[in-house]
Amino acid sequence: MTERLRLKKNADRRLKAGHLWLYSNEIDIAATPLKDFEPGAQAVIEAANGKPMGIAYVNPHSLICARIVSRDVDVRLDRSLLVHRFKQALSLRARLFAKPFYRLVHGEGDLLPGLIVDRFDDVLVVQLNTVGMDRMRDEIIAALEKVLAPRAIVFKNDSSGRRREQLGDEVEVAYGELPDQVLLEENGVRFVVPVLDGQKTGWFFDHRANRSWLNGLVAGKRVLDVFSYVGGWGVQAAAHGASEVLCVDSSAQALERVAENAALNGLAEQVAVGEGEAFEALAALKAEGEQFDVIVLDPPAFIKRRKDIPNGERAYSRLNREAIRLLGRDGMLLSASCSMHLAPERLMECVRGAVRHQDRHGQVIYQGHQGADHPVHPAIPETAYLKALGVRIFRN
């Protein structure tokens, strides 16, 4: 018999609107004490009048104390539901992409809260970001095996979300045998993906469409890729005709991968690397009198929590100011943010202020967001996190 979790009066409004999260202050703890639940246990969610509303897994120690996995109270999160959801997710990606390189499961966007799966052909990289999903690890492996028969499944469980759920970090090959090199192809360019020791799952599929847009504007240009990681933007720019590319990152290991990926595509001559913190590197390039035609700013999230917004916005503004100083008379800036808490209009404002600070003019010619393999849940604004602005910046 599945346990029950009852909501306070009127606390079912978001659920009725399609949301999948329940907060601890929405629970009628007199009727159904949260403390009685084992982390990860599944429960029938009831409205205040006792009407069943769905099945969720529960974590009494988290602010988001329950996450809906099905509206059908006769269904449970088990291998059968996982197989069904994986097939639903796969059918979308098969329509979107000709080659098997994409995010296969995007958490709430694919009705599987707490689960991320990135696909690199026959290698799958999985993140279990909640206690509820962590408890399902064996079923997840079995369901992925049934749907895709992969060569290897890697658990890349080192996200900040896990720490909020009081889960430890672990990175391991959970199934099969990992090949010596994991490769992917994006926008016609090949990359080696560091799935075990890279950032997140090893790659950021979410910017694919934004990179594709920029690739059409870089021929013959001098390009600066700041926060380059393994060269997603920079190496693609070189492959699409940029005359020179400089990739800047604070990680020496990431820059080694940039060089490896440039060589993989026969672009070693066009792509240079520079190690350093972004703000210091931008200042040094300015002091050296360097100038670029195109600059890409794709920083990590400066705003992790709502309380970080003021400081984070200042950091975005400063970053864009420093970059614009390095643009020639008629340059292109690609300014991105993956901070969920930074509203699109606030990124626009950061860029606008930076343009005026340098006494230049800006024309926003592109507004991008996350790719279609990162579907946005229409009831959950938090699933729409990525922003990218393409801005032509010129002097009077």
Side-chain angles (χ1 to χ4, degrees):
M1 161 114 178
T2 304
E3 295 181 75
R4 295 177 174 271
L5 197 60
R6 183 164 290 192
L7 299 174
K8 292 176 180 175
K9 190 177 179 185
N10 295 328
D12 58 358
R13 286 177 182 164
R14 276 184 315 104
L15 237 56
K16 284 179 176 174
H19 213 295
L20 304 180
W21 297 349
L22 295 170
Y23 292 94
S24 52
N25 62 0
E26 296 174 322
I27 307 302
D28 182 349
I29 55 173
T32 53
L34 263 175
K35 62 179 174 56
D36 291 352
F37 281 85
E38 185 185 342
Q42 296 184 47
V44 175
I45 304 301
E46 295 180 337
N49 63 5
K51 181 187 175 187
M53 299 191 71
I55 293 287
Y57 62 74
V58 181
N59 184 355
H61 307 308
S62 176
L63 177 64
I64 302 172
C65 68
R67 298 173 199 249
I68 298 284
V69 292
S70 176
R71 300 279 170 176
D72 183 345
V73 294
D74 295 323
V75 168
R76 297 293 176 271
L77 180 59
D78 56 14
R79 183 189 168 193
S80 174
L81 180 62
L82 287 163
V83 166
H84 175 62
R85 292 270 194 261
F86 290 162
K87 285 180 176 176
Q88 284 179 320
L90 183 61
S91 73
L92 173 64
R93 277 71 179 179
R95 276 178 270 170
L96 294 170
F97 304 110
K99 296 189 176 180
F101 307 107
Y102 42 69
R103 175 149 294 183
L104 174 67
V105 176
H106 185 56
E108 283 78 357
D110 285 295
L111 306 181
L112 286 169
L115 180 64
I116 299 293
V117 183
D118 277 356
R119 183 180 186 187
F120 305 98
D121 194 5
D122 55 2
V123 174
L124 304 176
V125 183
V126 177
Q127 289 189 311
L128 310 170
N129 291 324
T130 57
V131 172
M133 278 301 169
D134 199 68
R135 277 179 55 152
M136 300 299 297
R137 56 180 55 219
D138 292 343
E139 290 86 349
I140 288 166
I141 291 172
L144 288 172
E145 189 184 353
K146 180 176 174 62
V147 175
L148 283 169
R151 177 176 176 179
I153 299 173
V154 174
F155 280 163
K156 188 70 163 45
N157 293 329
D158 55 1
S159 69
S160 57
R162 280 180 69 85
R163 292 188 276 283
R164 284 195 295 274
E165 292 266 314
Q166 300 180 6
L167 291 165
D169 289 359
E170 56 167 14
V171 177
E172 62 174 353
V173 180
Y175 168 87
E177 195 172 319
L178 197 64
D180 292 339
Q181 277 193 332
V182 177
L183 295 168
L184 80 88
E185 185 182 313
E186 183 180 285
N187 298 325
V189 185
R190 292 184 305 150
F191 292 87
V192 177
V193 187
V195 296
L196 289 174
D197 58 358
Q199 295 177 24
K200 306 285 184 171
T201 62
W203 184 256
F204 295 89
F205 282 120
D206 51 5
H207 268 305
R208 178 194 332 237
N210 303 323
R211 293 188 189 110
S212 176
W213 174 80
L214 190 68
N215 290 343
L217 295 171
V218 297
K221 305 295 187 188
R222 192 161 193 249
V223 177
L224 174 63
D225 178 8
V226 189
F227 305 99
S228 70
Y229 183 44
V230 299
W233 293 91
V235 173
Q236 285 192 39
H240 287 85
S243 59
E244 254 182 275
V245 176
L246 175 60
C247 288
V248 172
D249 200 276
S250 60
S251 163
Q253 188 179 32
L255 294 175
E256 285 174 21
R257 299 259 163 68
V258 170
E260 183 181 6
N261 288 322
L264 183 67
N265 292 279
L267 300 165
E269 294 296 307
Q270 289 99 302
V271 180
V273 300
E275 186 182 343
E277 296 295 335
F279 290 104
E280 293 169 10
L282 290 170
L285 287 167
K286 180 63 181 171
E288 291 160 13
E290 295 285 0
Q291 215 171 66
F292 298 88
D293 305 304
V294 179
I295 297 179
V296 178
L297 301 176
D298 184 17
F302 288 158
I303 305 172
K304 300 246 191 241
R305 294 158 299 185
R306 208 174 287 278
K307 68 176 186 177
D308 300 332
I309 290 175
N311 284 340
E313 287 190 358
R314 280 193 288 274
Y316 284 112
S317 294
R318 183 184 163 210
L319 179 66
N320 282 277
R321 280 199 310 270
E322 294 300 309
I324 289 168
R325 295 169 67 206
L326 290 166
L327 278 174
R329 291 191 64 81
D330 190 351
M332 183 69 64
L333 176 71
L334 190 295
S335 184
S337 167
C338 61
S339 294
M340 178 187 77
H341 294 295
L342 184 72
E345 60 271 19
R346 295 306 300 163
L347 178 61
M348 184 81 80
E349 179 61 18
C350 291
V351 173
R352 182 207 63 77
V355 171
R356 291 310 304 141
H357 188 272
Q358 301 301 329
D359 197 24
R360 300 204 198 184
H361 299 288
Q363 292 173 312
V364 177
I365 60 172
Y366 177 79
Q367 297 185 58
H369 41 78
Q370 65 217 57
D373 53 347
H374 292 62
V376 173
H377 192 300
I380 308 178
E382 293 88 348
T383 59
Y385 64 94
L386 194 71
K387 297 151 285 277
L389 294 177
V391 190
R392 179 196 186 201
I393 295 172
F394 57 102
R395 299 185 193 276
N396 238 351

